[in-house]
Amino acid sequence: MSENKTITLIITRQDHPDEPSYEEKFEIPYRENMNVISALMEIRRNPVNADGKPTTPVYWDMGCLEEVCGACSMVINGTPRQSCTALVDQLEQPIRLAPMTTFPVNRDLAVDRSRMFDSLKKVKAWIPIDGTYDLGPGPKMPESKRQWAYELSKCMTCGVCLEACPNVNSKSDFIGPAPLSQVRLFNSHPTGEMNKSERLQTIMDEEGLMGCGNAQNCVQSCPKGIPLTTSIAALNRDTAIESFKSFFGSDQRV
Amino acid sequence: MAGTRGYVNRRLHSLLGVIPIGIFLIQHLTVNFFATRGPEAFNTAAHFMESLPYRYVLETFIIFLPLLFHAIYGVYIAFTAKSNLSNFGYFRNWMFIFQRITGIITLIFIAWHVWETRIAIGFGWAELNYQLMEGILTEPFFFWFYIVGVISTTFHFSNGLWSFFVSWGITVSPRSQKIMTYASIIIFLAISYVGVRTLIQFAYGI
Ligand code: HEM
Ligand code: SF4
Ligand code: FES
């Protein structure tokens, strides 16, 4: 029965970062258990569009193929998500694929997520332990804390939460929820905590924490189920205390 | 925008929305509610407020300047958002957009309302009494203009209180945020009742 069944895809394409985008329709043979990436591979194998005209193969980004690297994010039927875990059988047809709008397009469905990596650098999302001598083992982390911190560490910088956020757009420089949540992650680590104030200071501006307007789309959209809005509220508390300390003085910093 | 300044401005915007503007709103609606006890009661309450010592200082620093800052910065914040309700129709996303829309409506309403009352009184074109509001609100257009303005303001304040609790890190857990949502709905209904009831009194004398 499934012999002649086909899948219809409408793909927003772009040949070059500076060129306008256009839509192209594809009709490909159905196979069982396909995901969006295997559909794209089928187009790559036989790059002919729905009008029967030969075209360039559609370009996209991918890595792990198991929803841990974040490279394959795109907007699928209006929803930003990973194409490697988007199963064709569960999608309404025609399947519309488009690049995420928050990031510059490299080509077709592949976007440049550099801004997220720049943000991670900006907020110092790491634990500085390099030195000239062995510092010995660090302090222990309570198990209860390790468990929720582990949830935050699942972030794969996929960009879905930025795409979902109404305050991340061309009119604002808001870095988005993902790097903010990473500040909470590294501040919760017993060694990372030694640089807590420093990290908080990096997000105390409009591009940082203050860019959030509490629309909470991020927490609804994150494929890893990261409690982004809990992180943001916790950071709101931490930065409020931080500014109190830095203005009125504290025992670490008079 | 500049680091620390952007931070302080944003914190100030959030704080001023509740202290003092939110507190003033509650006080203002409460004093006006005296109208439901008749013109006499309203005039007494209004004249008491009018005759407070250092009234101009209070008006300037508790109402005028904080409101001006919150409103101007609020318009800027509202226009840096880009609505995406069609793809993300979640409850909080709706509230996010309503917060911005009601901010703009409230600004228009307050500007008109202050012009017609406080400024007119200041210039001596009008006198502060029950009849002033009765004159305005017996006109159907202005009655509905005030209904929309008052409900927009009470919504903006109630939902703003919810986000204020998040902005200052008071409600961190999802559970506390949810309970605060219910609390903000109750606050919205309660103060909307106070405001609308007063308008009906002025418009229909009942
Ligand atoms: C009666 C007058 C007003 C009251 C009582 C009021 C109250 C509040 C409160 C309590 C908040 C929450 C602050 C927070 O999220 O921490 C808020 C937010 C906001 N207000 Fe107002 N406000 C008033 C007038 C205005 C006006 C005239 C505007 C102009 C457009 C405005 C625009 C905004 C915006 C855009 C936000 C959202 C800020 C954010 O979520 O980051 N407000 N307001
Ligand atoms: S927080 Fe979630 S949605 Fe955002 S980048 Fe990380 S994994 Fe993706
Ligand atoms: S390919 Fe790594 S998340 Fe999809």
Side-chain angles (χ1 to χ4, degrees):
Chain A
M1 182 201 122
S2 64
E3 249 95 278
N4 303 325
K5 236 169 123 182
T6 59
I7 302 165
T8 311
L9 296 115
I10 298 174
I11 303 178
T12 304
R13 306 195 57 179
Q14 190 170 329
D15 297 341
H16 190 268
D18 305 324
E19 274 169 36
S21 63
Y22 59 95
E23 278 188 352
E24 194 160 34
K25 196 168 162 181
F26 293 91
E27 205 92 48
I28 60 162
Y30 174 88
R31 273 182 288 123
E32 256 170 42
N33 300 326
M34 282 178 105
N35 61 12
V36 166
I37 288 195
S38 61
L40 288 168
M41 284 172 163
E42 180 60 34
I43 295 173
R44 184 169 65 182
R45 199 183 62 77
N46 180 26
V48 172
N49 67 22
D51 302 331
K53 291 206 184 83
T55 179
T56 49
V58 176
Y59 188 76
W60 77 96
D61 217 352
M62 63 177 162
C64 66
L65 297 179
E66 55 177 358
E67 206 178 84
V68 288
C69 78
C72 68
S73 312
M74 59 184 72
V75 181
I76 302 172
N77 287 348
T79 309
R81 54 185 294 195
Q82 280 66 54
S83 48
C84 65
T85 44
L87 302 180
V88 165
D89 289 334
Q90 290 166 9
L91 293 170
E92 200 179 300
Q93 291 204 36
I95 299 169
R96 287 178 182 274
L97 305 180
M100 291 192 288
T101 53
T102 309
F103 305 94
V105 175
N106 279 340
R107 184 184 171 126
D108 292 341
L109 300 167
V111 295
D112 177 4
R113 287 175 297 134
S114 301
R115 64 173 288 183
M116 293 193 77
F117 306 113
D118 292 341
S119 302
L120 290 175
K121 287 180 215 157
K122 186 193 152 189
V123 305
K124 302 181 197 293
W126 60 81
I127 294 171
I129 51 165
D130 291 345
T132 50
Y133 62 97
D134 184 1
L135 296 169
K140 284 222 167 92
M141 191 170 189
E143 175 59 15
S144 56
K145 197 179 196 183
R146 188 199 62 76
Q147 278 183 11
W148 66 251
Y150 178 64
E151 294 304 317
L152 305 187
S153 76
K154 286 180 182 171
C155 176
M156 53 186 179
T157 343
C158 71
V160 164
C161 55
L162 272 73
E163 180 76 6
C165 178
N167 270 3
V168 175
N169 60 51
S170 52
K171 291 178 282 183
S172 99
D173 297 320
F174 180 37
I175 59 173
L180 295 176
S181 190
Q182 292 303 298
V183 170
R184 180 167 177 240
L185 170 66
F186 287 99
N187 280 357
S188 71
H189 189 280
T191 309
E193 204 182 340
M194 293 173 185
N195 302 81
K196 185 174 176 177
S197 291
E198 212 181 322
R199 264 185 228 102
L200 290 177
Q201 293 286 348
T202 64
I203 55 166
M204 285 161 67
D205 58 21
E206 278 202 304
E207 293 116 72
L209 192 58
M210 297 296 117
C212 174
N214 298 310
Q216 302 203 337
N217 288 345
C218 55
V219 74
Q220 304 269 9
S221 310
C222 174
K224 295 281 137 187
I226 296 172
L228 293 162
T229 49
T230 309
S231 287
I232 288 172
L235 290 167
N236 277 329
R237 181 184 291 177
D238 290 345
T239 52
I241 294 168
E242 172 68 20
S243 29
F244 199 83
K245 280 189 187 163
S246 74
F247 184 76
F248 292 104
S250 73
D251 46 3
Q252 286 131 39
R253 214 177 4 190
V254 185
Chain B
M1 206 189 264
T4 323
R5 210 182 43 172
Y7 177 76
V8 173
N9 281 346
R10 203 57 192 247
R11 284 282 186 206
L12 198 59
H13 178 261
S14 170
L15 182 70
L16 294 179
V18 176
I19 306 165
I21 311 174
I23 310 234
F24 166 72
L25 175 68
I26 308 269
Q27 176 268 335
H28 188 56
L29 293 175
T30 306
V31 168
N32 295 344
F33 195 68
F34 273 100
T36 58
R37 296 186 185 168
E40 285 308 308
F42 175 78
N43 289 341
T44 314
H47 289 144
F48 171 74
M49 295 312 297
E50 205 179 18
S51 55
L52 284 179
Y54 42 85
R55 167 187 165 204
Y56 295 112
V57 177
L58 293 177
E59 279 182 338
T60 309
F61 291 99
I62 298 204
I63 310 170
F64 189 68
L65 291 180
L67 193 57
L68 205 62
F69 179 87
H70 183 90
I72 293 172
Y73 202 60
V75 170
Y76 161 71
I77 294 172
F79 283 101
T80 42
K82 197 168 151 204
S83 167
N84 55 11
L85 280 172
S86 51
N87 289 331
F88 305 92
Y90 306 114
F91 173 73
R92 271 290 144 213
N93 200 22
W94 278 100
M95 295 299 114
F96 171 87
I97 293 303
F98 282 152
Q99 185 68 10
R100 277 139 188 84
I101 295 172
T102 55
I104 305 291
I105 298 176
T106 303
L107 179 61
I108 297 166
F109 169 68
I110 292 179
W112 180 258
H113 174 60
V114 170
W115 169 257
E116 193 174 44
T117 55
R118 184 63 191 89
I119 294 178
I121 293 165
F123 279 115
W125 303 330
E127 212 183 306
L128 173 56
N129 56 27
Y130 187 93
Q131 281 68 37
L132 170 67
M133 293 317 295
E134 193 179 29
I136 294 169
L137 290 165
T138 41
E139 283 210 42
F141 173 80
F142 280 103
F143 175 72
W144 287 107
F145 179 75
Y146 269 71
I147 291 277
V148 171
V150 166
I151 292 178
S152 152
T153 311
T154 53
F155 176 90
H156 185 86
F157 170 67
S158 315
N159 189 52
L161 203 58
W162 179 88
S163 68
F164 175 87
F165 271 64
V166 178
S167 302
W168 291 88
I170 301 165
T171 47
V172 170
S173 66
R175 185 175 145 78
S176 65
Q177 293 185 3
K178 196 169 188 172
I179 290 172
M180 190 56 202
T181 298
Y182 298 131
S184 70
I185 292 171
I186 292 169
I187 293 168
F188 170 64
L189 293 176
I191 59 177
S192 296
Y193 171 77
V194 173
V196 170
R197 182 70 195 81
T198 310
L199 294 178
I200 292 173
Q201 170 69 35
F202 281 120
Y204 298 101
I206 47 166

